[in-house]
Amino acid sequence: KAGVTQTPRYLIKTRGQQVTLSCSPISGHRSVSWYQQTPGQGLQFLFEYFSETQRNKGNFPGRFSGRQFSNSRSEMNVSTLELGDSALYLCASSLNTAQETQYFGPGTRLLVL
Amino acid sequence: AQSVTQPDIHITVSEGASLELRCNYSYGATPYLFWYVQSPGQGLQLLLKYFSGDTLVQGIKGFEAEFKRSQSSFNLRKPSVHWSDAAEYFCAVGAKAAGNKLTFGGGTRVLVKP
């Protein structure tokens, strides 16, 4: 089975721009979660989608948004980029509940200049 | 609110020696506990998880962890470290009510000396 894939792997943007990151979960997985990883704040939960609905949300500003498609692929969007948005963005997929293993993708490294 | 503390930012261990990584959590109910490993430039890989039952959990790559409710701890151990174990290790807590949201500790970077 193919693992979780994320595209693009690397991205450079400038302040004020917007960006869209994509995550394709493992086949059959319906839950996709997004995390932001930075040296200063560590790993922080952004949001989780299940069956095209946002099921859980972290403490990030409204500039961070996401969606999930009927094939469970998910995208996250960050508008009006700030320097502090530079981070590794990880997505994780699982079947459904918290007791099932979450499999992480390799991440998208975003650099905001 | 859930929180996770990993007191050691860096640990250096000799190859073949034992390793113990500390993790303390704060959560009102019975937590779901996880250990993940991250190699440079990679995503996270699950080493082991605890939901209920036997408090000593066996994982992949020879790792084990013990849940101690009285100490709010979930320490990770490996009897004999290999050079390939050099990586960053993250403890995380989840809960049934939180869906798939995980709260991570700050991580412990493990260096292995030859």
Side-chain angles (χ1 to χ4, degrees):
Chain A
K1 229 183 221 185
V4 178
T5 57
Q6 292 187 245
T7 57
R9 291 293 310 277
Y10 303 93
L11 207 47
I12 300 175
K13 292 286 188 179
T14 56
R15 276 183 303 174
Q17 287 187 309
Q18 74 163 12
V19 68
T20 299
L21 312 182
S22 179
C23 172
S24 293
I26 291 171
S27 176
H29 285 191
R30 295 166 65 191
S31 168
V32 174
S33 298
W34 288 89
Y35 292 83
Q36 181 196 65
Q37 185 176 24
T38 61
Q41 299 298 316
L43 279 153
Q44 294 185 286
F45 175 80
L46 281 155
F47 30 65
E48 179 204 358
Y49 285 86
F50 179 80
S51 291
E52 302 180 64
T53 300
Q54 189 180 84
R55 184 158 74 171
N56 222 331
K57 189 177 187 304
N59 296 322
F60 278 81
R63 300 186 296 108
F64 291 82
S65 63
R67 59 179 177 168
Q68 187 179 33
F69 301 94
S70 59
N71 62 358
S72 293
R73 189 177 70 85
S74 176
E75 289 181 346
M76 68 162 280
N77 183 276
V78 188
S79 62
T80 319
L81 284 165
E82 300 177 359
L83 297 179
D85 297 332
S86 295
L88 181 67
Y89 290 88
L90 295 164
C91 86
S93 80
S94 72
L95 285 168
N96 180 8
T97 68
Q99 291 194 351
E100 287 147 15
T101 299
Q102 290 191 57
Y103 295 87
F104 282 79
T108 293
R109 187 164 294 281
L110 171 66
L111 177 62
V112 182
L113 301 175
Chain B
Q2 305 160 351
S3 68
V4 181
T5 301
Q6 294 180 245
D8 304 305
I9 297 174
H10 292 101
I11 284 183
T12 300
V13 61
S14 297
E15 192 168 14
S18 64
L19 174 68
E20 181 166 13
L21 304 182
R22 295 183 291 164
C23 172
N24 293 98
Y25 68 89
S26 173
Y27 185 64
T30 300
Y32 296 164
L33 295 162
F34 307 81
W35 275 99
Y36 283 87
V37 61
Q38 185 177 36
S39 298
Q42 302 293 316
L44 301 171
Q45 181 183 23
L46 180 69
L47 289 174
L48 46 79
K49 58 188 177 183
Y50 172 80
F51 297 131
S52 63
D54 193 348
T55 56
L56 186 62
V57 181
Q58 301 297 320
I60 62 170
K61 303 186 180 187
F63 285 94
E64 68 176 25
E66 186 171 13
F67 171 58
K68 292 186 177 180
R69 184 187 301 276
S70 61
Q71 298 176 20
S72 297
S73 70
F74 189 57
N75 294 348
L76 181 72
R77 298 192 293 257
K78 184 168 184 177
S80 177
V81 168
H82 187 261
W83 63 266
S84 60
D85 294 321
E88 190 154 20
Y89 292 79
F90 293 93
C91 181
V93 63
K96 184 177 182 179
N100 278 317
K101 174 183 177 180
L102 295 177
T103 299
F104 285 88
T108 298
R109 185 169 297 278
V110 174
L111 304 175
V112 180
K113 293 190 302 184

